[in-house]
Amino acid sequence: ALYQEQDKKNDSLAAYEKALALEPGNENYAQLIRTAKQGASYECTKQAIDLQQQRKQAEALGYFVQARAIDDTSETRASYAISLQ
């Protein structure tokens, strides 16, 4: 279920990016992209934390890496760094 939900968010993100490419100055599309990236990154981070709590470190690390690939913010980097300890 998580993967299906993530796929829909990725589809939305791709659509917003395509729209922004067609209208580069459209701040609404730019904001939608930022929001979509933050949401997708948050979901990956949340899944990673849940897996860590289940002591599934290797699986959790994959989600942290994915979160950073989606939206490499200081918050995402901090969560990733904590996961490596």
Side-chain angles (χ1 to χ4, degrees), residues 5-79:
E5 187 175 312
Q6 190 67 35
D7 286 343
K8 289 179 186 177
K9 289 179 182 178
N10 289 340
D11 290 346
S12 295
L13 179 57
Y16 297 146
E17 288 173 335
K18 187 174 182 178
L20 185 62
L22 295 171
E23 294 182 47
N26 190 318
E27 184 55 35
N28 289 330
Y29 292 142
Q31 181 59 44
L32 287 168
I33 290 168
R34 287 190 293 273
T35 301
K37 284 183 176 184
Q38 289 170 349
S41 179
Y42 170 80
E43 290 299 324
C44 288
T45 301
K46 183 175 178 279
Q47 182 67 23
I49 291 168
D50 289 346
L51 288 166
Q52 271 190 322
Q53 291 172 347
Q54 297 170 29
R55 302 202 185 281
K56 297 179 179 179
Q57 301 297 67
E59 290 178 62
L61 184 59
Y63 278 96
F64 280 122
V65 170
Q66 187 177 357
R68 284 192 64 198
I70 294 168
D71 191 32
D72 192 20
T73 62
S74 59
E75 183 179 317
T76 306
R77 279 184 247 133
S79 295

